[in-house]
Short mmCIF file of all heavy atoms in Angstrom, two decimals:
data_model
loop_
_atom_site.label_atom_id
_atom_site.label_comp_id
_atom_site.label_asym_id
_atom_site.label_seq_id
_atom_site.Cartn_x
_atom_site.Cartn_y
_atom_site.Cartn_z
N LYS C 307 31.06 -2.98 31.56
CA LYS C 307 29.77 -2.49 31.08
C LYS C 307 28.62 -3.37 31.58
O LYS C 307 27.54 -2.88 31.89
CB LYS C 307 29.77 -2.41 29.55
CG LYS C 307 30.73 -1.37 29.02
CD LYS C 307 30.62 -1.19 27.51
CE LYS C 307 31.64 -0.13 27.09
NZ LYS C 307 31.59 0.15 25.64
N ALA C 384 38.24 28.12 30.05
CA ALA C 384 38.79 27.53 31.27
C ALA C 384 37.97 27.95 32.47
O ALA C 384 37.78 27.17 33.42
CB ALA C 384 40.25 27.95 31.44
N ASP C 385 37.47 29.16 32.43
CA ASP C 385 36.73 29.69 33.57
C ASP C 385 35.29 29.17 33.61
O ASP C 385 34.78 28.84 34.68
CB ASP C 385 36.70 31.22 33.46
CG ASP C 385 35.99 31.84 34.64
OD1 ASP C 385 36.45 31.61 35.77
OD2 ASP C 385 34.98 32.52 34.42
N GLN C 392 42.91 18.48 32.40
CA GLN C 392 43.55 18.77 31.11
C GLN C 392 43.59 20.24 30.77
O GLN C 392 44.51 20.70 30.10
CB GLN C 392 42.87 17.98 29.99
CG GLN C 392 42.06 18.81 29.01
CD GLN C 392 42.17 18.29 27.60
OE1 GLN C 392 42.24 17.09 27.38
NE2 GLN C 392 42.20 19.17 26.62
N ILE C 394 42.66 23.73 28.84
CA ILE C 394 42.35 24.07 27.46
C ILE C 394 43.66 24.18 26.67
O ILE C 394 44.56 24.93 27.07
CB ILE C 394 41.63 25.44 27.37
CG1 ILE C 394 40.51 25.55 28.41
CG2 ILE C 394 41.12 25.67 25.94
CD1 ILE C 394 39.34 24.66 28.21
N ARG C 395 43.76 23.44 25.55
CA ARG C 395 44.93 23.55 24.68
C ARG C 395 44.59 24.46 23.51
O ARG C 395 43.46 24.43 23.00
CB ARG C 395 45.32 22.16 24.14
CG ARG C 395 45.75 21.21 25.22
CD ARG C 395 46.30 19.92 24.65
NE ARG C 395 45.26 19.17 23.96
CZ ARG C 395 45.41 17.93 23.48
NH1 ARG C 395 46.57 17.31 23.63
NH2 ARG C 395 44.42 17.31 22.87
N VAL C 396 45.56 25.21 23.06
CA VAL C 396 45.35 26.18 21.98
C VAL C 396 46.34 25.92 20.86
O VAL C 396 47.53 25.72 21.12
CB VAL C 396 45.55 27.62 22.51
CG1 VAL C 396 45.50 28.61 21.35
CG2 VAL C 396 44.51 27.95 23.55
N GLY C 398 47.54 27.80 17.24
CA GLY C 398 47.39 29.03 16.46
C GLY C 398 47.94 30.20 17.26
O GLY C 398 48.36 30.05 18.41
N ASP C 433 39.19 16.52 22.10
CA ASP C 433 39.74 15.24 21.63
C ASP C 433 40.53 15.35 20.33
O ASP C 433 40.55 14.42 19.53
CB ASP C 433 38.59 14.24 21.41
CG ASP C 433 38.52 13.22 22.54
OD1 ASP C 433 39.41 13.22 23.41
OD2 ASP C 433 37.57 12.42 22.55
N HIS C 436 47.29 14.93 17.05
CA HIS C 436 48.40 15.59 16.38
C HIS C 436 48.19 15.79 14.88
O HIS C 436 48.29 16.91 14.38
CB HIS C 436 49.68 14.78 16.61
CG HIS C 436 50.86 15.34 15.89
ND1 HIS C 436 51.58 16.40 16.38
CD2 HIS C 436 51.45 14.99 14.72
CE1 HIS C 436 52.56 16.69 15.53
NE2 HIS C 436 52.51 15.85 14.52
N GLU C 441 47.80 19.22 10.34
CA GLU C 441 47.39 19.50 8.96
C GLU C 441 46.49 20.73 8.90
O GLU C 441 46.59 21.54 7.96
CB GLU C 441 46.69 18.28 8.36
CG GLU C 441 47.61 17.07 8.32
CD GLU C 441 47.33 16.11 7.17
OE1 GLU C 441 46.28 16.27 6.51
OE2 GLU C 441 48.17 15.23 6.93
N TRP C 460 29.19 18.46 29.29
CA TRP C 460 28.48 18.52 30.56
C TRP C 460 27.40 19.60 30.58
O TRP C 460 26.30 19.36 31.13
CB TRP C 460 29.48 18.73 31.72
CG TRP C 460 28.81 18.69 33.04
CD1 TRP C 460 28.53 17.59 33.79
CD2 TRP C 460 28.27 19.81 33.74
NE1 TRP C 460 27.86 17.94 34.91
CE2 TRP C 460 27.67 19.30 34.91
CE3 TRP C 460 28.22 21.19 33.49
CZ2 TRP C 460 27.06 20.12 35.83
CZ3 TRP C 460 27.60 22.01 34.40
CH2 TRP C 460 27.02 21.48 35.57
N GLN C 464 22.65 20.02 31.95
CA GLN C 464 21.79 21.02 32.59
C GLN C 464 20.66 21.43 31.66
O GLN C 464 19.51 21.56 32.08
CB GLN C 464 22.63 22.23 32.98
CG GLN C 464 23.57 21.91 34.14
CD GLN C 464 24.09 23.20 34.76
OE1 GLN C 464 24.49 24.11 34.06
NE2 GLN C 464 24.05 23.26 36.08
N ALA C 468 16.65 20.68 32.25
CA ALA C 468 15.68 21.77 32.22
C ALA C 468 14.56 21.47 31.22
O ALA C 468 13.38 21.75 31.47
CB ALA C 468 16.39 23.07 31.85
N ASP C 471 12.26 19.00 32.73
CA ASP C 471 11.45 19.64 33.77
C ASP C 471 10.26 20.37 33.15
O ASP C 471 9.15 20.33 33.68
CB ASP C 471 12.31 20.63 34.56
CG ASP C 471 13.11 19.91 35.64
OD1 ASP C 471 12.72 18.78 36.02
OD2 ASP C 471 14.11 20.47 36.09
N GLN C 472 10.51 21.03 32.03
CA GLN C 472 9.40 21.72 31.36
C GLN C 472 8.31 20.74 30.95
O GLN C 472 7.12 20.98 31.13
CB GLN C 472 9.92 22.44 30.12
CG GLN C 472 10.70 23.70 30.44
CD GLN C 472 11.02 24.47 29.17
OE1 GLN C 472 11.38 23.87 28.17
NE2 GLN C 472 10.89 25.78 29.23
N SER C 483 14.42 16.25 38.64
CA SER C 483 15.58 16.09 37.77
C SER C 483 16.86 16.50 38.47
O SER C 483 16.88 17.51 39.19
CB SER C 483 15.42 16.96 36.52
OG SER C 483 14.42 16.44 35.69
N VAL C 485 21.35 16.79 37.92
CA VAL C 485 22.50 16.70 37.02
C VAL C 485 23.68 16.24 37.86
O VAL C 485 24.00 16.86 38.89
CB VAL C 485 22.79 18.06 36.36
CG1 VAL C 485 24.09 18.00 35.58
CG2 VAL C 485 21.63 18.46 35.46
N THR C 494 43.31 12.90 35.55
CA THR C 494 43.27 13.21 36.98
C THR C 494 44.36 14.17 37.40
O THR C 494 44.33 14.69 38.51
CB THR C 494 43.42 11.92 37.80
OG1 THR C 494 44.59 11.23 37.34
CG2 THR C 494 42.20 11.03 37.63
N ALA C 495 45.37 14.37 36.55
CA ALA C 495 46.45 15.28 36.93
C ALA C 495 47.11 15.78 35.67
O ALA C 495 46.92 15.24 34.58
CB ALA C 495 47.48 14.56 37.82
N HIS C 496 47.91 16.83 35.81
CA HIS C 496 48.57 17.45 34.66
C HIS C 496 49.93 17.97 35.12
O HIS C 496 50.05 18.55 36.18
CB HIS C 496 47.72 18.62 34.14
CG HIS C 496 48.30 19.28 32.93
ND1 HIS C 496 49.01 20.45 32.98
CD2 HIS C 496 48.30 18.91 31.62
CE1 HIS C 496 49.41 20.78 31.75
NE2 HIS C 496 48.98 19.87 30.92
N ALA C 497 50.95 17.70 34.32
CA ALA C 497 52.27 18.27 34.59
C ALA C 497 52.60 19.24 33.48
O ALA C 497 52.81 18.83 32.35
CB ALA C 497 53.32 17.15 34.67
N GLN C 499 54.68 21.95 31.23
CA GLN C 499 56.07 22.06 30.81
C GLN C 499 56.37 23.51 30.52
O GLN C 499 55.50 24.27 30.08
CB GLN C 499 56.30 21.25 29.53
CG GLN C 499 56.29 19.76 29.74
CD GLN C 499 56.59 19.05 28.44
OE1 GLN C 499 55.82 19.14 27.51
NE2 GLN C 499 57.71 18.34 28.39
N ARG C 503 61.68 24.90 26.63
CA ARG C 503 62.79 24.58 27.53
C ARG C 503 63.71 23.61 26.82
O ARG C 503 63.25 22.68 26.16
CB ARG C 503 62.21 23.92 28.79
CG ARG C 503 63.02 24.17 30.06
CD ARG C 503 62.40 23.41 31.20
NE ARG C 503 61.86 22.13 30.71
CZ ARG C 503 62.62 21.12 30.34
NH1 ARG C 503 63.93 21.17 30.43
NH2 ARG C 503 62.06 20.02 29.90
N VAL C 508 70.03 13.24 24.82
CA VAL C 508 69.22 12.03 24.90
C VAL C 508 70.12 10.80 24.95
O VAL C 508 70.81 10.50 23.98
CB VAL C 508 68.32 11.94 23.66
CG1 VAL C 508 67.50 10.67 23.70
CG2 VAL C 508 67.42 13.15 23.60
N VAL C 515 76.42 4.71 19.79
CA VAL C 515 75.40 5.50 19.14
C VAL C 515 75.14 6.77 19.94
O VAL C 515 75.03 7.86 19.39
CB VAL C 515 74.10 4.68 18.97
CG1 VAL C 515 72.95 5.58 18.55
CG2 VAL C 515 74.33 3.59 17.93
N ALA C 519 75.53 10.49 18.79
CA ALA C 519 74.37 11.36 18.82
C ALA C 519 74.70 12.70 19.47
O ALA C 519 74.35 13.76 18.96
CB ALA C 519 73.22 10.68 19.55
N ASP C 522 77.06 14.96 17.11
CA ASP C 522 76.71 15.46 15.78
C ASP C 522 75.36 16.16 15.68
O ASP C 522 75.10 16.81 14.68
CB ASP C 522 76.71 14.30 14.78
CG ASP C 522 78.12 13.77 14.60
OD1 ASP C 522 78.78 13.46 15.61
OD2 ASP C 522 78.57 13.71 13.46
N SER C 524 72.50 18.81 15.86
CA SER C 524 72.68 20.25 15.70
C SER C 524 72.15 21.03 16.91
O SER C 524 72.26 22.24 16.93
CB SER C 524 71.95 20.72 14.45
OG SER C 524 70.56 20.59 14.64
N PRO C 527 65.65 21.17 20.82
CA PRO C 527 64.69 22.27 20.90
C PRO C 527 64.74 22.92 22.28
O PRO C 527 64.91 22.23 23.28
CB PRO C 527 63.33 21.60 20.70
CG PRO C 527 63.63 20.22 20.21
CD PRO C 527 65.00 19.87 20.63
N LYS D 266 50.85 20.44 1.12
CA LYS D 266 51.82 19.37 0.94
C LYS D 266 52.57 19.52 -0.39
O LYS D 266 53.76 19.25 -0.49
CB LYS D 266 51.14 18.01 1.02
CG LYS D 266 50.59 17.71 2.40
CD LYS D 266 50.06 16.30 2.55
CE LYS D 266 49.52 16.10 3.97
NZ LYS D 266 49.00 14.75 4.19
N ALA D 343 57.82 15.44 31.96
CA ALA D 343 57.72 16.87 31.68
C ALA D 343 59.11 17.51 31.64
O ALA D 343 59.38 18.42 30.84
CB ALA D 343 56.84 17.56 32.72
N ASP D 344 60.00 17.00 32.47
CA ASP D 344 61.34 17.58 32.55
C ASP D 344 62.23 17.14 31.40
O ASP D 344 62.99 17.93 30.86
CB ASP D 344 61.96 17.16 33.89
CG ASP D 344 63.33 17.77 34.07
OD1 ASP D 344 63.42 19.02 34.05
OD2 ASP D 344 64.30 17.00 34.21
N THR D 349 56.44 21.42 25.55
CA THR D 349 55.32 21.76 24.67
C THR D 349 54.23 22.42 25.50
O THR D 349 54.21 22.30 26.73
CB THR D 349 54.70 20.52 24.01
OG1 THR D 349 54.09 19.72 25.03
CG2 THR D 349 55.75 19.69 23.27
N GLN D 351 51.23 21.53 25.64
CA GLN D 351 50.25 20.61 26.22
C GLN D 351 50.68 20.03 27.55
O GLN D 351 49.84 19.71 28.39
CB GLN D 351 49.94 19.49 25.21
CG GLN D 351 50.45 18.12 25.59
CD GLN D 351 49.49 17.03 25.21
OE1 GLN D 351 48.85 17.10 24.19
NE2 GLN D 351 49.35 16.01 26.04
N ILE D 353 51.97 17.18 30.21
CA ILE D 353 51.70 15.75 30.37
C ILE D 353 50.37 15.58 31.10
O ILE D 353 50.18 16.13 32.18
CB ILE D 353 52.81 15.07 31.21
CG1 ILE D 353 54.21 15.50 30.79
CG2 ILE D 353 52.64 13.54 31.19
CD1 ILE D 353 54.64 15.02 29.44
N ARG D 354 49.45 14.83 30.49
CA ARG D 354 48.17 14.52 31.16
C ARG D 354 48.26 13.15 31.81
O ARG D 354 48.88 12.23 31.25
CB ARG D 354 47.02 14.51 30.14
CG ARG D 354 46.80 15.86 29.49
CD ARG D 354 45.56 15.86 28.60
NE ARG D 354 45.73 14.96 27.48
CZ ARG D 354 44.86 14.86 26.46
NH1 ARG D 354 43.77 15.59 26.46
NH2 ARG D 354 45.09 14.03 25.48
N VAL D 355 47.62 13.00 32.96
CA VAL D 355 47.69 11.75 33.72
C VAL D 355 46.28 11.24 33.98
O VAL D 355 45.42 12.00 34.38
CB VAL D 355 48.40 11.98 35.07
CG1 VAL D 355 48.31 10.73 35.93
CG2 VAL D 355 49.85 12.40 34.85
N GLY D 357 44.44 8.13 36.26
CA GLY D 357 44.73 7.13 37.29
C GLY D 357 45.17 7.83 38.56
O GLY D 357 45.28 9.05 38.62
N ASP D 392 48.43 11.31 22.29
CA ASP D 392 47.24 11.41 21.44
C ASP D 392 46.07 10.57 21.92
O ASP D 392 45.28 10.06 21.11
CB ASP D 392 47.60 10.95 20.00
CG ASP D 392 47.77 12.15 19.07
OD1 ASP D 392 47.49 13.28 19.49
OD2 ASP D 392 48.19 11.93 17.92
N HIS D 395 39.11 10.66 24.80
CA HIS D 395 38.21 10.40 25.92
C HIS D 395 37.74 8.94 26.00
O HIS D 395 37.89 8.29 27.03
CB HIS D 395 36.98 11.30 25.81
CG HIS D 395 35.96 11.07 26.87
ND1 HIS D 395 36.07 11.58 28.13
CD2 HIS D 395 34.81 10.32 26.87
CE1 HIS D 395 35.03 11.18 28.87
NE2 HIS D 395 34.25 10.43 28.12
N GLU D 400 37.33 4.02 28.93
CA GLU D 400 37.10 2.57 29.00
C GLU D 400 38.29 1.88 29.65
O GLU D 400 38.12 0.93 30.43
CB GLU D 400 36.84 2.01 27.61
CG GLU D 400 35.60 2.63 26.97
CD GLU D 400 34.87 1.70 26.02
OE1 GLU D 400 35.42 0.63 25.68
OE2 GLU D 400 33.73 2.03 25.65
N TRP D 419 60.36 13.06 19.15
CA TRP D 419 61.54 13.87 18.86
C TRP D 419 62.84 13.19 19.30
O TRP D 419 63.85 13.27 18.56
CB TRP D 419 61.40 15.26 19.51
CG TRP D 419 62.52 16.16 19.13
CD1 TRP D 419 62.62 16.94 18.02
CD2 TRP D 419 63.74 16.33 19.85
NE1 TRP D 419 63.82 17.58 17.99
CE2 TRP D 419 64.53 17.22 19.10
CE3 TRP D 419 64.25 15.80 21.03
CZ2 TRP D 419 65.80 17.62 19.53
CZ3 TRP D 419 65.51 16.19 21.46
CH2 TRP D 419 66.28 17.08 20.71
N GLN D 423 67.35 12.34 17.38
CA GLN D 423 68.74 12.33 17.84
C GLN D 423 69.35 10.94 17.67
O GLN D 423 70.49 10.80 17.24
CB GLN D 423 68.79 12.75 19.30
CG GLN D 423 68.46 14.23 19.46
CD GLN D 423 68.90 14.74 20.81
OE1 GLN D 423 68.64 14.09 21.83
NE2 GLN D 423 69.58 15.87 20.82
N ALA D 427 72.42 9.95 15.09
CA ALA D 427 73.63 9.28 15.58
C ALA D 427 73.88 8.00 14.80
O ALA D 427 75.03 7.66 14.49
CB ALA D 427 73.48 8.98 17.08
N ASP D 430 75.34 8.93 11.49
CA ASP D 430 76.73 9.36 11.67
C ASP D 430 77.66 8.16 11.74
O ASP D 430 78.75 8.17 11.17
CB ASP D 430 76.86 10.21 12.94
CG ASP D 430 76.46 11.65 12.69
OD1 ASP D 430 76.44 12.07 11.52
OD2 ASP D 430 76.16 12.35 13.66
N GLN D 431 77.24 7.13 12.46
CA GLN D 431 78.07 5.93 12.55
C GLN D 431 78.29 5.32 11.16
O GLN D 431 79.41 4.95 10.81
CB GLN D 431 77.39 4.89 13.43
CG GLN D 431 77.46 5.23 14.91
CD GLN D 431 76.94 4.08 15.75
OE1 GLN D 431 75.93 3.46 15.40
NE2 GLN D 431 77.61 3.79 16.83
N SER D 442 75.25 15.66 10.03
CA SER D 442 73.87 15.40 10.46
C SER D 442 73.38 16.48 11.42
O SER D 442 74.13 16.90 12.30
CB SER D 442 73.78 14.04 11.16
OG SER D 442 73.97 13.00 10.24
N VAL D 444 69.78 17.79 13.83
CA VAL D 444 68.43 17.49 14.32
C VAL D 444 67.71 18.82 14.47
O VAL D 444 68.20 19.74 15.15
CB VAL D 444 68.48 16.74 15.66
CG1 VAL D 444 67.08 16.60 16.23
CG2 VAL D 444 69.11 15.37 15.47
N THR D 453 50.06 25.68 20.89
CA THR D 453 50.91 26.84 21.14
C THR D 453 50.67 27.48 22.50
O THR D 453 51.45 28.32 22.94
CB THR D 453 50.65 27.92 20.06
OG1 THR D 453 49.24 28.17 20.01
CG2 THR D 453 51.14 27.45 18.72
N ALA D 454 49.59 27.12 23.14
CA ALA D 454 49.31 27.72 24.44
C ALA D 454 48.41 26.78 25.23
O ALA D 454 47.82 25.84 24.68
CB ALA D 454 48.62 29.09 24.29
N HIS D 455 48.32 27.02 26.54
CA HIS D 455 47.52 26.17 27.41
C HIS D 455 46.91 27.02 28.50
O HIS D 455 47.57 27.89 29.06
CB HIS D 455 48.42 25.09 28.04
CG HIS D 455 47.67 24.13 28.91
ND1 HIS D 455 47.64 24.23 30.28
CD2 HIS D 455 46.90 23.06 28.58
CE1 HIS D 455 46.89 23.24 30.77
NE2 HIS D 455 46.43 22.52 29.76
N ALA D 456 45.63 26.80 28.76
CA ALA D 456 44.98 27.49 29.88
C ALA D 456 44.61 26.45 30.92
O ALA D 456 43.74 25.61 30.66
CB ALA D 456 43.74 28.24 29.39
N GLN D 458 43.06 24.75 34.30
CA GLN D 458 41.82 24.97 35.06
C GLN D 458 42.05 24.54 36.49
O GLN D 458 42.83 23.62 36.76
CB GLN D 458 40.69 24.12 34.47
CG GLN D 458 40.17 24.60 33.13
CD GLN D 458 39.04 23.74 32.67
OE1 GLN D 458 39.24 22.56 32.41
NE2 GLN D 458 37.85 24.30 32.55
N ARG D 462 36.61 23.17 40.15
CA ARG D 462 36.06 24.50 40.32
C ARG D 462 34.59 24.47 39.89
O ARG D 462 34.24 23.84 38.90
CB ARG D 462 36.81 25.46 39.40
CG ARG D 462 36.93 26.89 39.93
CD ARG D 462 37.65 27.73 38.89
NE ARG D 462 37.28 27.28 37.57
CZ ARG D 462 36.07 27.51 37.03
NH1 ARG D 462 35.16 28.20 37.69
NH2 ARG D 462 35.82 27.05 35.83
N VAL D 467 24.30 27.43 33.70
CA VAL D 467 24.44 27.42 32.26
C VAL D 467 23.26 28.11 31.61
O VAL D 467 22.13 27.64 31.70
CB VAL D 467 24.49 25.96 31.77
CG1 VAL D 467 24.59 25.92 30.27
CG2 VAL D 467 25.67 25.26 32.42
N VAL D 474 13.45 27.64 29.28
CA VAL D 474 14.28 26.48 29.54
C VAL D 474 15.39 26.83 30.51
O VAL D 474 15.69 26.11 31.45
CB VAL D 474 14.85 25.92 28.22
CG1 VAL D 474 15.93 24.89 28.50
CG2 VAL D 474 13.73 25.31 27.40
N ALA D 478 16.16 25.27 34.01
CA ALA D 478 17.44 24.62 34.26
C ALA D 478 18.04 25.08 35.57
O ALA D 478 18.53 24.28 36.36
CB ALA D 478 18.39 24.92 33.10
N ASP D 481 16.05 23.52 38.71
CA ASP D 481 15.87 22.11 39.01
C ASP D 481 17.15 21.27 39.02
O ASP D 481 17.13 20.15 39.49
CB ASP D 481 14.91 21.50 37.99
CG ASP D 481 13.52 22.05 38.18
OD1 ASP D 481 13.36 23.28 38.30
OD2 ASP D 481 12.58 21.26 38.27
N SER D 483 20.55 19.64 40.04
CA SER D 483 20.93 19.29 41.40
C SER D 483 22.24 19.92 41.81
O SER D 483 22.68 19.76 42.94
CB SER D 483 21.06 17.78 41.51
OG SER D 483 22.16 17.34 40.75
N PRO D 486 29.25 20.48 38.87
CA PRO D 486 30.51 19.94 39.39
C PRO D 486 31.39 21.09 39.85
O PRO D 486 31.39 22.15 39.26
CB PRO D 486 31.15 19.26 38.16
CG PRO D 486 30.10 19.21 37.10
CD PRO D 486 29.08 20.25 37.45
#
Side-chain angles (χ1 to χ4, degrees):
Chain C
K307 294 186 180 182
D385 182 59
Q392 110 143 36
I394 314 292
R395 296 188 294 187
V396 173
D433 257 354
H436 177 80
E441 299 210 349
W460 185 86
Q464 290 196 314
D471 277 340
Q472 286 188 318
S483 290
V485 172
T494 53
H496 182 260
Q499 287 183 296
R503 210 183 35 72
V508 178
V515 169
D522 293 52
S524 68
Chain D
K266 293 187 181 181
D344 182 58
T349 67
Q351 111 142 37
I353 315 291
R354 297 186 295 187
V355 172
D392 256 354
H395 177 80
E400 299 211 349
W419 185 86
Q423 290 197 314
D430 277 341
Q431 285 188 319
S442 290
V444 173
T453 52
H455 182 260
Q458 288 182 296
R462 212 182 35 73
V467 178
V474 169
D481 292 47
S483 68

